[in-house]
Amino acid sequence: MSIGREILNSILIIKPSSLGDIVHTLPAVAAIRDAHPDATITWVMNPEFTPLLRGNPDVNHIHGFPRREFSGLGAPVSMMPWFKETRQLRPDLALDFQGLLRSAFIARVSGAKQVYGMSDGREGSRFFYSRTAKVNRREHAVERYLKLAELAGDPLPRFDEFPPFILLHPFARGSGKSLTNRVIEEICRAFAPTRVVVVGKTNHNIDVAENCVELTNQTSLLQLIRLIRVARFVISVDSGPMHIAAAVNVRLLSIHTRTNPRRVGPYNTDAWIWKDGKILRVSELENTKLKRHGRPFKTKDVPAIVELIRPLVPIDPMLA
């Protein structure tokens, strides 16, 4: 699968405040950096919060926003030097994570070629946007901001999200945590004809069944987040993508061989975990006795996960 993306040389992040909101924006900016490693990323931020970004490799420059000068009768005059400086930015893309009239206005003042924002923008800010990310106001801020970041990332142009699919992330750096090729192939076969999309980083070639979509070493972080979000179910070994899935997809099975799911399992009480042949909800861990080290996940364990997942991901009539 070939991945195409628009080359962006400069990106402007607009999120001046507050402290917590800026922290919530960091994962989205990290994902944007992953999609555009060579772009110059500038962040518009209130001066008192700039220490948060000190040493952050995802941000090249901070453009201070003097919020106190932006209010009162003298604002138009006092802000003129700042507006002149902002007009010189001229980024290829401005992303309005604040969603207010003031932040959208800043995006336009910057001379950005395009301005992206969220569908829950207030105060008429959406009239300034070139494109809008559809978000749910009831979602966590991190999820909403990641959806905006997806607009700035590289899409999956030739991947059809329908019919529904199961996402399998079988690789991890820790010794004994990854699934074997034989297990991967057996999982794909067991769920046929439902598609199983295999993702992750690996140095090994894997054998895939006919219903398997093999995307290993082919997705950026933004693309991976998108796949995790839209998958009907996620199966993952203990890894970073597993924790992303715990945040954005309630249907998750986390496979733990040597690690303790109480300490490093998914931070989601609705998720399931596999440990030493047992499958249980995260909410049941406190009252369940588990072996300290456990054992590898084997082909004999596949029927149990099919029994768990198949009622949640029925065979699509189109594939029957």
Side-chain angles (χ1 to χ4, degrees):
M1 176 178 137
S2 71
I3 302 296
R5 79 174 77 141
E6 179 184 1
I7 297 176
L8 299 175
N9 295 316
S10 55
I11 301 171
L12 185 66
I13 306 297
I14 303 174
K15 190 64 171 174
S17 62
S18 58
L19 178 60
D21 289 341
I22 290 172
V23 172
H24 287 153
T25 311
L26 290 173
V29 175
I32 293 168
R33 168 59 73 201
D34 182 76
H36 303 281
D38 298 323
T40 298
I41 297 180
T42 301
W43 193 319
V44 176
M45 178 182 291
N46 291 3
E48 62 266 30
F49 300 126
T50 57
L52 280 174
L53 299 185
R54 192 170 295 153
N56 188 321
D58 298 326
V59 180
N60 300 99
H61 306 291
I62 298 174
H63 188 63
F65 173 62
R67 182 180 178 181
R68 294 177 182 176
E69 298 179 22
F70 211 91
S71 58
L73 296 176
V77 175
S78 62
M79 289 296 294
M80 284 306 298
W82 187 84
F83 281 136
K84 289 180 180 178
E85 185 180 356
T86 302
R87 286 194 190 101
Q88 296 175 9
L89 295 175
R90 299 192 177 281
D92 293 326
L93 173 65
L95 295 166
D96 180 13
F97 286 93
Q98 197 80 2
L100 299 175
L101 178 61
R102 179 176 60 210
S103 55
F105 179 67
I106 292 172
R108 283 301 177 187
V109 167
S110 74
K113 295 178 182 177
Q114 296 191 78
V115 178
Y116 295 173
M118 295 175 288
S119 60
D120 64 348
R122 295 174 288 165
E123 303 173 353
S125 58
R126 285 175 289 178
F127 290 107
F128 289 83
Y129 300 154
S130 312
R131 292 183 64 190
T132 303
K134 187 176 181 180
V135 300
N136 186 335
R137 289 185 179 182
R138 290 172 290 184
E139 289 179 320
H140 192 282
V142 172
E143 288 192 54
R144 290 168 50 244
Y145 298 159
L146 282 171
K147 286 183 178 179
L148 177 55
E150 287 174 3
L151 286 186
D154 37 351
L156 294 162
R158 292 196 289 185
F159 181 82
D160 192 348
E161 296 174 6
F162 300 96
F165 64 92
I166 295 168
L167 189 74
L168 174 62
H169 181 264
F171 309 112
R173 288 186 296 176
S175 176
K177 293 170 67 175
S178 296
L179 302 183
T180 65
N181 280 9
R182 186 180 174 192
V183 168
I184 295 170
E185 188 175 4
E186 183 61 27
I187 290 174
C188 290
R189 273 203 295 256
F191 282 106
T194 300
R195 291 185 303 166
V196 178
V197 179
V198 184
V199 294
K201 303 292 184 182
T202 180
N203 295 322
H204 304 287
N205 295 323
I206 63 172
D207 299 320
V208 295
E210 186 177 349
N211 63 311
C212 175
V213 181
E214 204 269 297
L215 294 181
T216 58
N217 303 318
Q218 298 181 64
T219 58
S220 69
L221 178 59
L222 276 175
Q223 292 170 334
L224 178 60
I225 291 171
R226 175 64 182 170
L227 289 170
I228 290 172
R229 188 189 303 281
V230 300
R232 188 60 60 91
F233 202 101
V234 178
I235 304 170
S236 176
V237 296
D238 178 16
S239 59
M242 178 275 287
H243 292 290
I244 294 174
V248 302
N249 194 326
V250 295
R251 292 183 171 182
L252 164 68
L253 172 68
S254 179
I255 296 174
H256 294 259
T257 53
R258 298 188 176 186
T259 56
N260 185 346
R262 290 193 184 95
R263 297 183 60 188
V264 296
Y267 195 65
N268 184 332
T269 56
D270 291 328
W272 288 269
I273 65 104
W274 179 95
K275 177 73 175 179
D276 197 38
K278 295 181 179 179
I279 296 178
L280 61 153
R281 291 267 195 180
V282 171
S283 58
E284 300 170 330
L285 280 174
E286 187 176 348
N287 300 317
T288 304
K289 186 175 181 180
L290 297 174
K291 289 185 179 180
R292 182 175 180 182
H293 295 295
R295 63 168 176 82
F297 187 93
K298 303 178 180 180
T299 54
K300 69 178 183 180
D301 298 305
V302 173
I305 69 170
V306 174
E307 184 179 355
L308 167 71
I309 297 171
R310 180 51 85 191
L312 301 172
V313 189
I315 296 175
D316 190 277
M318 293 176 58
L319 302 176

mmCIF file of all heavy atoms in Angstrom, residues 146-161:
data_model
loop_
_atom_site.group_PDB
_atom_site.id
_atom_site.type_symbol
_atom_site.label_atom_id
_atom_site.label_comp_id
_atom_site.label_asym_id
_atom_site.label_seq_id
_atom_site.Cartn_x
_atom_site.Cartn_y
_atom_site.Cartn_z
ATOM 1 N N LEU A 146 -6.767 14.917 18.599
ATOM 2 C CA LEU A 146 -6.177 13.948 17.673
ATOM 3 C C LEU A 146 -6.943 13.912 16.359
ATOM 4 O O LEU A 146 -6.357 13.719 15.288
ATOM 5 C CB LEU A 146 -6.143 12.560 18.307
ATOM 6 C CG LEU A 146 -5.034 12.325 19.334
ATOM 7 C CD1 LEU A 146 -5.243 10.998 20.055
ATOM 8 C CD2 LEU A 146 -3.662 12.350 18.668
ATOM 9 N N LYS A 147 -8.259 14.100 16.419
ATOM 10 C CA LYS A 147 -9.048 14.128 15.184
ATOM 11 C C LYS A 147 -8.662 15.331 14.319
ATOM 12 O O LYS A 147 -8.643 15.232 13.086
ATOM 13 C CB LYS A 147 -10.539 14.147 15.508
ATOM 14 C CG LYS A 147 -11.065 12.810 15.996
ATOM 15 C CD LYS A 147 -12.563 12.851 16.247
ATOM 16 C CE LYS A 147 -13.065 11.488 16.690
ATOM 17 N NZ LYS A 147 -14.528 11.491 16.970
ATOM 18 N N LEU A 148 -8.376 16.452 14.958
ATOM 19 C CA LEU A 148 -7.910 17.608 14.189
ATOM 20 C C LEU A 148 -6.530 17.320 13.604
ATOM 21 O O LEU A 148 -6.253 17.665 12.454
ATOM 22 C CB LEU A 148 -7.868 18.852 15.081
ATOM 23 C CG LEU A 148 -7.338 20.139 14.435
ATOM 24 C CD1 LEU A 148 -8.105 20.478 13.163
ATOM 25 C CD2 LEU A 148 -7.411 21.300 15.427
ATOM 26 N N ALA A 149 -5.682 16.677 14.379
ATOM 27 C CA ALA A 149 -4.347 16.336 13.884
ATOM 28 C C ALA A 149 -4.423 15.413 12.680
ATOM 29 O O ALA A 149 -3.581 15.483 11.775
ATOM 30 C CB ALA A 149 -3.520 15.682 14.991
ATOM 31 N N GLU A 150 -5.424 14.543 12.650
ATOM 32 C CA GLU A 150 -5.570 13.612 11.526
ATOM 33 C C GLU A 150 -5.750 14.351 10.203
ATOM 34 O O GLU A 150 -5.317 13.867 9.153
ATOM 35 C CB GLU A 150 -6.750 12.674 11.769
ATOM 36 C CG GLU A 150 -6.470 11.614 12.827
ATOM 37 C CD GLU A 150 -7.702 10.794 13.163
ATOM 38 O OE1 GLU A 150 -8.763 11.010 12.530
ATOM 39 O OE2 GLU A 150 -7.613 9.945 14.060
ATOM 40 N N LEU A 151 -6.392 15.521 10.241
ATOM 41 C CA LEU A 151 -6.564 16.299 9.012
ATOM 42 C C LEU A 151 -5.221 16.755 8.457
ATOM 43 O O LEU A 151 -5.065 16.934 7.250
ATOM 44 C CB LEU A 151 -7.443 17.536 9.270
ATOM 45 C CG LEU A 151 -8.940 17.327 9.463
ATOM 46 C CD1 LEU A 151 -9.635 18.675 9.561
ATOM 47 C CD2 LEU A 151 -9.546 16.524 8.319
ATOM 48 N N ALA A 152 -4.258 16.951 9.347
ATOM 49 C CA ALA A 152 -2.944 17.430 8.924
ATOM 50 C C ALA A 152 -1.999 16.286 8.621
ATOM 51 O O ALA A 152 -0.866 16.511 8.202
ATOM 52 C CB ALA A 152 -2.328 18.309 10.018
ATOM 53 N N GLY A 153 -2.451 15.066 8.835
ATOM 54 C CA GLY A 153 -1.596 13.913 8.619
ATOM 55 C C GLY A 153 -1.741 13.357 7.229
ATOM 56 O O GLY A 153 -2.283 13.984 6.327
ATOM 57 N N ASP A 154 -1.239 12.133 7.067
ATOM 58 C CA ASP A 154 -1.343 11.471 5.780
ATOM 59 C C ASP A 154 -2.436 10.423 5.851
ATOM 60 O O ASP A 154 -2.396 9.548 6.684
ATOM 61 C CB ASP A 154 -0.020 10.831 5.378
ATOM 62 C CG ASP A 154 0.724 10.243 6.559
ATOM 63 O OD1 ASP A 154 0.310 10.476 7.714
ATOM 64 O OD2 ASP A 154 1.699 9.547 6.322
ATOM 65 N N PRO A 155 -3.436 10.517 4.982
ATOM 66 C CA PRO A 155 -4.563 9.594 5.025
ATOM 67 C C PRO A 155 -4.189 8.213 4.515
ATOM 68 O O PRO A 155 -3.098 7.995 4.021
ATOM 69 C CB PRO A 155 -5.590 10.258 4.104
ATOM 70 C CG PRO A 155 -4.738 10.986 3.110
ATOM 71 C CD PRO A 155 -3.537 11.476 3.882
ATOM 72 N N LEU A 156 -5.141 7.303 4.630
ATOM 73 C CA LEU A 156 -4.972 5.972 4.061
ATOM 74 C C LEU A 156 -5.777 5.935 2.763
ATOM 75 O O LEU A 156 -6.928 5.518 2.751
ATOM 76 C CB LEU A 156 -5.487 4.924 5.049
ATOM 77 C CG LEU A 156 -4.691 4.810 6.341
ATOM 78 C CD1 LEU A 156 -5.497 4.090 7.396
ATOM 79 C CD2 LEU A 156 -3.373 4.118 6.105
ATOM 80 N N PRO A 157 -5.209 6.409 1.650
ATOM 81 C CA PRO A 157 -6.002 6.657 0.455
ATOM 82 C C PRO A 157 -6.612 5.415 -0.168
ATOM 83 O O PRO A 157 -7.640 5.493 -0.804
ATOM 84 C CB PRO A 157 -4.999 7.324 -0.494
ATOM 85 C CG PRO A 157 -3.662 6.861 -0.023
ATOM 86 C CD PRO A 157 -3.791 6.715 1.460
ATOM 87 N N ARG A 158 -5.966 4.265 -0.015
ATOM 88 C CA ARG A 158 -6.482 3.078 -0.681
ATOM 89 C C ARG A 158 -6.931 2.019 0.328
ATOM 90 O O ARG A 158 -6.972 0.846 0.013
ATOM 91 C CB ARG A 158 -5.417 2.517 -1.622
ATOM 92 C CG ARG A 158 -5.152 3.436 -2.799
ATOM 93 C CD ARG A 158 -4.408 2.747 -3.914
ATOM 94 N NE ARG A 158 -3.026 2.483 -3.576
ATOM 95 C CZ ARG A 158 -2.158 1.979 -4.451
ATOM 96 N NH1 ARG A 158 -2.533 1.691 -5.675
ATOM 97 N NH2 ARG A 158 -0.916 1.763 -4.085
ATOM 98 N N PHE A 159 -7.271 2.442 1.523
ATOM 99 C CA PHE A 159 -7.768 1.507 2.523
ATOM 100 C C PHE A 159 -9.234 1.809 2.797
ATOM 101 O O PHE A 159 -9.579 2.904 3.232
ATOM 102 C CB PHE A 159 -6.965 1.601 3.817
ATOM 103 C CG PHE A 159 -7.443 0.631 4.854
ATOM 104 C CD1 PHE A 159 -7.032 -0.692 4.816
ATOM 105 C CD2 PHE A 159 -8.307 1.015 5.853
ATOM 106 C CE1 PHE A 159 -7.482 -1.595 5.758
ATOM 107 C CE2 PHE A 159 -8.766 0.131 6.799
ATOM 108 C CZ PHE A 159 -8.343 -1.192 6.748
ATOM 109 N N ASP A 160 -10.083 0.847 2.545
ATOM 110 C CA ASP A 160 -11.510 1.013 2.756
ATOM 111 C C ASP A 160 -11.855 0.556 4.167
ATOM 112 O O ASP A 160 -11.543 -0.570 4.560
ATOM 113 C CB ASP A 160 -12.279 0.181 1.729
ATOM 114 C CG ASP A 160 -13.758 0.534 1.690
ATOM 115 O OD1 ASP A 160 -14.218 1.244 2.607
ATOM 116 O OD2 ASP A 160 -14.445 0.095 0.759
ATOM 117 N N GLU A 161 -12.501 1.418 4.941
ATOM 118 C CA GLU A 161 -12.847 1.086 6.317
ATOM 119 C C GLU A 161 -14.018 0.110 6.397
ATOM 120 O O GLU A 161 -14.315 -0.411 7.476
ATOM 121 C CB GLU A 161 -13.180 2.364 7.092
ATOM 122 C CG GLU A 161 -11.994 3.308 7.213
ATOM 123 C CD GLU A 161 -12.371 4.633 7.860
ATOM 124 O OE1 GLU A 161 -13.536 4.746 8.308
ATOM 125 O OE2 GLU A 161 -11.527 5.535 7.899
#
